Amino acid sequence: QAELPSWVAYSPRASALLSQLKGVTLDVPTLRRTGIGLTVRKYTQHPDKSVAALAAALIQAWKSSVRKPQPATTTREVRRRRVAVDDDETSDSSESSSSSSSGGGG
């Protein structure tokens, strides 16, 4: 593990590794567990500007994927969403049932 920083300090290797990471989708628990975000952030200060740009783009991509709306996690949020969905379904089902009953008689 101590050899890793010197191994990837070589720009072509760092670029190759960051390019491979670009195709990987990570969730928050994985980012926290692995600490890969912290490691990649260090490469934003790489002397090779192309490596630094790759690292910065990778971090931005991860941030945008993490910031997508998450499903409700608390019981109160779940109940609110369930009520909203139930209300929508009630109005839709009454309209569709009245149209299907009138359409079936003709």
Side-chain angles (χ1 to χ4, degrees):
Q1 189 176 9
E3 296 175 6
L4 182 64
S6 63
W7 189 79
V8 288
Y10 181 59
S11 297
R13 288 182 189 148
S15 294
L17 288 171
L18 291 171
S19 296
Q20 286 180 353
L21 284 173
K22 195 174 184 181
V24 176
T25 304
L26 298 174
D27 56 0
V28 174
T30 304
L31 286 167
R32 286 185 179 157
R33 182 174 39 83
T34 62
I36 191 70
L38 299 174
T39 302
V40 170
R41 182 178 297 262
K42 291 178 186 176
Y43 286 96
T44 61
Q45 302 299 319
H46 198 278
D48 184 340
K49 298 298 178 190
S50 64
V51 173
L54 274 172
L58 186 57
I59 289 172
Q60 284 304 109
W62 285 342
K63 281 183 178 181
S64 65
S65 69
V66 167
R67 289 183 180 152
K68 289 180 182 174
Q70 299 296 320
T73 55
T74 66
T75 306
R76 174 174 269 164
E77 290 173 0
V78 171
R79 286 182 188 151
R80 284 182 186 161
R81 288 189 184 183
R82 191 177 303 147
V83 167
V85 170
D86 289 345
D87 289 345
D88 292 341
E89 289 176 0
T90 304
S91 61
D92 290 344
S93 63
S94 64
E95 290 174 10
S96 60
S97 64
S98 62
S99 62
S100 63
S101 61
S102 62

